[in-house]
């Protein structure tokens, strides 16, 4: 019945219509602002958050994230095509005074052992070149929510705690295509280091069949995310590990343009997972189905409901644990998982650079083989409140 339900949704619905609340909280324009030529500015980007995950699951433990991150930086635009940023990124959890010096999201086998005190602080450097259809970014790229990955491939909670992505990025915009390709270098090793090198390569293409402003807008997302660990200078005994996620589907958005019902969205996607090298997972490949529908009501209220089903094996590199058959709590591998979920988001924008957001999510998962009546039944929920400030202050126009 679950398979028939998923198949029916894929046939009836026509992915990456991610929640607009997170677009306001964690996304910024990536094209160079030509109105700021010869301007030197101070930009302060801050996201304060409190998120409580009331999880009672074999997949993960419950936890809370009370804190904030802040990015003070100098921004200079010497010509219309060039922008340069220099500053720092600091992550602070309420009540914490000691922080490990590595990215927080992932399995810790390739992490360093160094610690910082007071706050988790990293330098922020971004160089950006703008052409007619192409944007090139070096240093701190537009990562996380900017990539527009679907919910099973990227959990928006990562916007709170992960390190800023650093590396190289190409953003291509055409009337019928938006393409984001990036390299995020997560762990650098010197010759005598005792942890693994790690980086993530990804691409997400949105093939647009018509304009997003049309009454009925539809497009196809095609995504690929690869994480590689190890390298020629790796002195550990863990070996090279290459893990992949991919997906393709179709998405529909009906712009009603009414006050009480702004738009309705629907999406369906087929996902795959592949372990190209290494033995980190107890299996080498798997696949899953994902379908979702949602609506935006009034000015800032969004509701979503969806279903995810992995018949046998699937692991999401950066998604929530309820979209994986491999437990991050005890490394147990389950033979299949089915998850249905519901989400409600609300955001209020005071002005362009000040947004308050709140959310509540519920996940119902069945672990095991094909019949949900013979497997573990888990209900998990979470809620959060967020406030983003990103003012820009002009220092001098040369």
């Amino acid at each position: 019945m679950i398979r028939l339900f998923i198949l029916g949704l894929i046939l009836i619905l026509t992915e990456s219509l991610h929640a607009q609340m997170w677009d306001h909280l964690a996304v910024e324009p990536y094209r160079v602002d030509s109105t700021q030529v010869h301007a030197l500015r101070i930009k302060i980007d801050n996201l304060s958050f409190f998120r409580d995950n009331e999880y009672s699951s074999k997949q993960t433990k419950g936890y809370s994230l009370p804190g904030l991150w802040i990015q003070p930086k100098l921004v200079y635009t010497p010509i219309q095509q060039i922008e340069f940023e220099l500053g720092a990124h600091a992550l602070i959890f309420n009540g914490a005074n000691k922080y490990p010096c590595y990215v927080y999201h992932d399995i810790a086998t390739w992490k360093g052992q160094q610690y910082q005190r007071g706050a988790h602080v990293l330098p922020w450097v971004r160089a950006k070149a703008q052409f007619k259809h192409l944007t090139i970014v070096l240093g701190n790229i537009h990562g996380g929510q900017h990539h527009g990955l679907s919910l099973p491939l990227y959990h928006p909670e990562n916007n709170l705690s992960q390190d800023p992505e650093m590396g190289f990025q190409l953003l291509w915009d055409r009337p019928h295509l938006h393409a984001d390709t990036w390299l995020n270098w997560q762990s650098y090793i010197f010759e005598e280091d005792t942890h693994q090198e790690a980086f993530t390569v990804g691409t997400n293409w949105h093939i647009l069949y018509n304009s997003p402003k049309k009454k009925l807008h539809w497009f196809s997302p095609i995504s690929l995310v690869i994480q590689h660990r190890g390298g020629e200078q790796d002195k550990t005994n863990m070996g090279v590990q290459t893990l992949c996620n991919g997906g393709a589907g179709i998405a529909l958005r009906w712009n009603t343009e009414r006050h009480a019902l702004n738009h309705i969205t629907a999406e369906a996607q087929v996902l795959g997972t592949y372990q190209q090298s290494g033995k980190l997972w107890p299996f080498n490949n798997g696949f899953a189905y994902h379908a979702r529908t949602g609506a935006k009501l009034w000015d800032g209220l969004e509701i979503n409901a969806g279903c995810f089903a992995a018949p046998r094996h699937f692991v999401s590199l950066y998604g929530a644990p309820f979209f994986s058959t491999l437990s991050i709590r005890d490394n147990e591998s389950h033979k299949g998982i089915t998850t249905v979920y519901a989400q409600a988001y609300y955001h209020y924008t005071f002005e362009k650079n000040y947004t308050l957001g709140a959310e509540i999510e519920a996940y119902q998962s069945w672990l095991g083989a094909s019949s949900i009546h013979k497997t573990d039944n888990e209900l998990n929920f979470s809620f959060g409140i967020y406030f983003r400030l990103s003012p820009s202050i002009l220092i001098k126009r040369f």
Side-chain angles (χ1 to χ4, degrees):
M1 291 298 295
I2 291 295
R3 292 181 181 179
L4 289 174
F5 174 67
I6 295 295
L7 181 59
L9 282 175
I10 291 176
L11 293 174
I12 294 171
L13 299 177
T14 53
E15 125 78 88
S16 285
L17 298 169
H18 43 280
Q20 289 191 358
M21 182 194 76
W22 283 107
D23 287 349
H24 285 81
L25 293 175
V27 172
E28 60 181 344
Y30 59 82
R31 295 183 66 86
V32 176
D33 187 352
S34 59
T35 65
Q36 300 295 337
V37 176
H38 301 154
L40 177 64
R41 296 170 287 151
I42 293 178
K43 187 172 182 179
I44 302 173
D45 202 357
N46 162 245
L47 179 62
S48 299
F49 50 83
F50 180 85
R51 180 180 172 90
D52 182 36
N53 294 326
E54 293 294 331
Y55 297 159
S56 177
S57 170
K58 289 186 176 181
Q59 296 299 88
T60 184
K61 298 178 181 179
Y63 55 92
S64 297
L65 294 174
L68 62 94
W69 57 254
I70 185 168
Q71 294 172 1
K73 49 196 175 186
L74 289 171
V75 183
Y76 181 56
T77 310
I79 60 175
Q80 289 187 357
Q81 295 175 287
I82 302 294
E83 189 173 87
F84 183 73
E85 300 179 12
L86 178 64
H89 173 91
L91 174 65
I92 303 170
F93 288 120
N94 298 339
N97 55 28
K98 186 178 181 181
Y99 297 81
C101 297
Y102 51 66
V103 64
Y104 284 82
H105 179 88
D106 208 294
I107 302 168
T109 54
W110 53 264
K111 311 304 170 92
Q113 301 301 320
Q114 301 84 9
Y115 284 84
Q116 297 175 338
R117 294 188 180 276
H120 178 61
V121 182
L122 295 171
W124 178 278
V125 182
R126 174 186 288 165
K128 189 186 303 183
Q130 179 72 61
F131 297 93
K132 185 177 181 180
H133 303 297
L134 177 67
T135 304
I136 301 174
V137 187
L138 282 166
N140 285 104
I141 65 175
H142 294 273
Q145 191 73 15
H146 292 83
H147 297 316
L149 294 169
S150 64
L151 184 62
L153 297 184
Y154 185 81
H155 191 11
E157 182 188 287
N158 299 336
N159 293 303
L160 307 180
S161 59
Q162 73 174 17
D163 286 349
E165 297 183 23
M166 297 189 69
F168 174 64
Q169 185 176 33
L170 298 173
L171 294 149
W172 182 264
D173 287 292
R174 298 290 289 165
H176 295 285
L177 175 68
H178 170 74
D180 180 5
T181 302
W182 69 93
L183 167 67
N184 175 27
W185 207 283
Q186 297 163 290
S187 178
Y188 184 87
I189 60 171
F190 293 97
E191 190 167 348
E192 298 299 323
D193 278 344
T194 57
H195 64 279
Q196 282 193 302
E197 172 183 272
F199 59 84
T200 295
V201 178
T203 188
N204 190 21
W205 289 37
H206 287 186
I207 301 173
L208 311 176
Y209 300 112
N210 61 1
S211 170
K213 297 180 181 180
K214 292 288 186 179
K215 189 80 171 181
L216 189 64
H217 170 56
W218 59 300
F219 67 94
S220 290
I222 302 174
S223 308
L224 179 65
V225 180
I226 303 171
Q227 187 182 83
H228 179 79
R229 310 178 188 185
E232 295 180 358
Q233 299 192 69
D234 185 8
K235 299 296 184 180
T236 70
N237 59 2
M238 290 178 282
V240 173
Q241 302 153 14
T242 304
L243 313 170
C244 311
N245 279 164
I250 194 164
L252 173 73
R253 174 170 170 163
W254 178 31
N255 296 305
T256 63
E257 298 178 354
R258 298 176 181 176
H259 178 69
L261 180 61
N262 185 269
H263 63 247
I264 299 173
T265 60
E267 59 182 276
Q269 194 176 35
V270 178
L271 305 163
T273 190
Y274 178 51
Q275 182 172 238
Q276 190 272 332
S277 62
K279 297 182 179 180
L280 189 64
W281 299 342
F283 50 84
N284 289 327
N285 54 72
F287 67 95
Y289 308 105
H290 175 236
R292 188 184 72 166
T293 185
K296 181 180 179 183
L297 309 174
W298 296 285
D299 291 331
L301 178 63
E302 304 163 65
I303 55 174
N304 295 304
C307 182
F308 170 90
R312 186 167 176 82
H313 299 305
F314 184 83
V315 173
S316 177
L317 292 172
Y318 296 102
F322 312 113
F323 302 116
S324 294
T325 58
L326 184 63
S327 170
I328 62 173
R329 182 169 187 165
D330 55 13
N331 291 327
E332 181 180 355
S333 180
H334 301 281
K335 292 183 179 180
I337 186 172
T338 300
T339 298
V340 295
Y341 61 90
Q343 304 165 315
Y345 301 94
Y346 178 77
H347 73 272
Y348 180 82
T349 300
F350 296 91
E351 289 184 6
K352 180 180 178 181
N353 299 317
Y354 306 91
T355 299
L356 179 69
E359 67 172 338
I360 184 168
E361 300 177 323
Y363 297 89
Q364 175 74 54
S365 297
W366 294 270
L367 301 170
S370 58
S371 173
I372 64 174
H373 301 291
K374 299 178 182 179
T375 57
D376 295 304
N377 185 327
E378 299 183 341
L379 177 62
N380 301 275
F381 70 93
S382 64
F383 64 89
I385 185 167
Y386 316 96
F387 189 35
R388 184 183 184 185
L389 301 88
S390 55
S392 179
I393 304 167
L394 177 65
I395 300 176
K396 183 176 177 63
R397 190 178 294 274
F398 295 94

